[in-house]
Structures are given as structure tokens and as C-alpha cells.
Amino acid sequence: MSRDQAAEIASGSATVDVGDATTRYLLYGLLPGWFVPGLADWAMHRRTRIEDTAGTKESLIHSLMMAEVGLPIALTLRYEINPLLLAVQLGGAAVHEATALWDVRTAVESDREVERTSTASWSRCRSRRWPP
């Protein structure tokens, strides 16, 4: 938005379309907000060689989590934003979080060793003490 557009909106002679503002937030705020933690999760799993240490159950749980996030994202990219779509997004995020907790419990209860270093590394990354 240019200064002229901002001044016009501030003066009250122009209106801001709520749909456009919501779409911009979802595409440039929420979507990267889901993508960045997903990429960090992938990096931590790659570091611990999950493809060799986890079983089919954990792989299926991860596929389920991808679908739980992918469906709301695909719908957001395809359809106009409305209250139903926002409810689907919120529901997808809630179900995704519940599945993530199930995934962690499954990993901890499995026969393989779950390394605390991946959690510690992520904490250091979040607190800007990365690299260790």
C-alpha cells in the first residue's frame, strides 16, 4: 500500500475491503506461519533419520497431519474467504494440534529412542541461540 492510498483510507474517503484484507492475512501471514514450523519439523526429523527409526504408524500419522493442514490451505487458495472457510481452517488447526500430540505420545511410547536434542535444538533456534 502506498502512502497516498493510506492517506486516502485514513481520511475516510476510501474503504478497505475486509475480504481483501483477510485474504492477504491468510496468504501472507497464516500460510507462512504454518509453513515455517512445518519446515523446522521436517529438518528435525531429517536430522534424527526418522525414515530409518520410525515405523509405518508414525508415517501414517504424519500423512494425516499433512492432510489436516493441506485441506484448509487448498480451500483457502481456491475459494473466496467466508465464515465457513474460516471455521474449516480453525478446525483443521485444532485437529492438527491434537494429532501432533498423538504423534509425540506415539514416538515416546515406541521402542526407539526419542532424542531430546531435537527439542533442545529447536528451543535454541527459537531463542536465537542457534547454532549451539
Side-chain angles (χ1 to χ4, degrees), residues 66-86:
M66 289 296 291
E68 292 165 354
V69 172
L71 179 65
I73 289 173
L75 292 173
T76 300
L77 294 173
R78 173 65 179 97
Y79 295 106
E80 185 175 336
I81 305 301
N82 60 39
L84 176 62
L85 183 55
L86 292 173

Side-chain angles (χ1 to χ4, degrees), residues 106-113:
T106 300
V108 168
E109 293 174 353
S110 69
D111 292 336
R112 70 183 176 93
E113 181 181 339

Side-chain angles (χ1 to χ4, degrees), residues 2 10 31 57 59 65 76-77 80 83-84 88 97 103 119 121:
S2 70
L31 191 59
K57 183 177 181 180
S59 296
M65 287 192 295
T76 300
L77 294 173
E80 185 175 336
L84 176 62
V88 169
E97 287 302 314
D103 177 44
T119 306
S121 297

Side-chain angles (χ1 to χ4, degrees), residues 38-95:
L39 189 61
D41 183 54
W42 172 84
M44 293 301 156
H45 283 306
R46 172 101 176 164
R47 181 174 171 213
T48 60
R49 300 186 54 207
I50 194 170
E51 66 275 6
D52 295 329
T53 58
T56 305
K57 183 177 181 180
E58 285 188 63
S59 296
L60 291 174
I61 292 172
H62 277 227
S63 296
L64 178 61
M65 287 192 295
M66 289 296 291
E68 292 165 354
V69 172
L71 179 65
I73 289 173
L75 292 173
T76 300
L77 294 173
R78 173 65 179 97
Y79 295 106
E80 185 175 336
I81 305 301
N82 60 39
L84 176 62
L85 183 55
L86 292 173
V88 169
Q89 291 172 345
L90 184 61
V95 171

